[in-house]
Amino acid sequence: QVQLVESGGGVVQPGRSLRLSCAASGFTFSNTIMHWVRQSPGKGPEWVAVISSDGAREYYGDSVKGRFTISRDNSKNTLYLQMNSLRPDDTALYYCAKSYHTWGQGTLVTVSS
Amino acid sequence: DIVMTQTPLSVSVTPGQPASMSCKSSQSLLQSGGKTFLYWFLQKAGQSPQLLIYEVSSRVSGVPDRFSGSGSGTDFTLKISRVEAEDVGVYYCMQGMNLPPTFGQGTKVEMK
């Protein structure tokens, strides 16, 4: 069955960087558009970024554009989110999602001094 | 960005009774190819959102048929014909017509 397992979250100071990973299994990863979506405590989901199946095209939400980079390694069935210049309002549970149909359990990022 | 507005923000339902919620978009979600990119998710406590309905009215495999989606253009509805205890949680609509995908504020369903 489809599995998405996020990792790499943690507590980080403002201005620092973090890289999230999402290990995918149970489907043909290299044929699938992948997303990152985040959810701040007590709030609704907020879409972060999307990457095409071949990695050639990426799109970002305005709140992360220029700071975050989405990428993928189809040989490793893994999705990444490089997060730079982190801010307290980036604090959230970060989910990877297969198209919109299946989401992982998320990895928590806390940005605090 | 397309703004998604859900009403009501919360609803309390007696088990076995129906429930309904609305989602309105700030512009039409009908694509020129004829598809309408409106999705419904349920987020149960402590879990990630799970997709229930895609393209307005298509149920995801395994979703009970007591869930139904309807609507067109900018106005959409999710109905639960007979609410069960396992249906409690927050329901979100989401548009996938334009980037960025945007979510409504959510409708919280509780049991009486």
Side-chain angles (χ1 to χ4, degrees), chain B residues 87-109:
Chain B
D87 301 336
V88 299
V90 181
Y91 290 78
Y92 295 100
C93 62
M94 188 205 82
Q95 67 80 19
M97 169 71 178
N98 288 348
L99 290 175
T102 45
F103 294 83
Q105 320 94 299
T107 293
K108 186 174 185 179
V109 172

Side-chain angles (χ1 to χ4, degrees), chain B:
Chain B
D1 297 358
I2 297 176
V3 177
M4 306 297 289
T5 303
Q6 289 185 245
T7 55
L9 296 182
S10 67
V11 61
S12 184
V13 187
T14 301
Q17 293 301 301
S20 177
M21 61 199 77
S22 170
C23 174
K24 295 184 188 296
S25 57
S26 61
Q27 62 188 76
S28 176
L29 303 184
L30 175 62
Q31 195 201 42
S32 56
K35 290 187 177 181
T36 301
F37 293 101
L38 186 281
Y39 302 81
W40 289 99
F41 295 86
L42 165 59
Q43 186 171 30
K44 299 180 181 180
Q47 297 185 17
S48 55
Q50 60 183 96
L51 182 66
L52 299 176
I53 302 278
Y54 61 97
E55 294 172 19
V56 180
S57 59
S58 296
R59 270 190 309 276
V60 171
S61 176
V63 172
D65 61 6
R66 63 179 180 273
F67 291 92
S68 64
S70 62
S72 63
T74 61
D75 289 356
F76 305 95
T77 301
L78 178 69
K79 293 182 179 177
I80 311 172
S81 59
R82 295 172 304 279
V83 175
E84 298 187 6
E86 65 183 22
D87 301 336
V88 299
V90 181
Y91 290 78
Y92 295 100
C93 62
M94 188 205 82
Q95 67 80 19
M97 169 71 178
N98 288 348
L99 290 175
T102 45
F103 294 83
Q105 320 94 299
T107 293
K108 186 174 185 179
V109 172
E110 300 173 309
M111 304 299 280
K112 279 184 181 174

Side-chain angles (χ1 to χ4, degrees), chain A residues 37 39 43-47 50 59 61-62 95 100-101 103-105, chain B residues 39 41 43 46-49 51 54 60 92 94 96 99-101 103:
Chain A
V37 184
Q39 189 169 26
K43 300 279 186 68
E46 177 193 10
W47 178 82
V50 63
Y59 299 94
D62 285 345
Y95 299 101
Y100 300 124
H101 282 241
W103 299 38
Q105 288 305 303
Chain B
Y39 302 81
F41 295 86
Q43 186 171 30
Q47 297 185 17
S48 55
L51 182 66
Y54 61 97
V60 171
Y92 295 100
M94 188 205 82
L99 290 175
F103 294 83

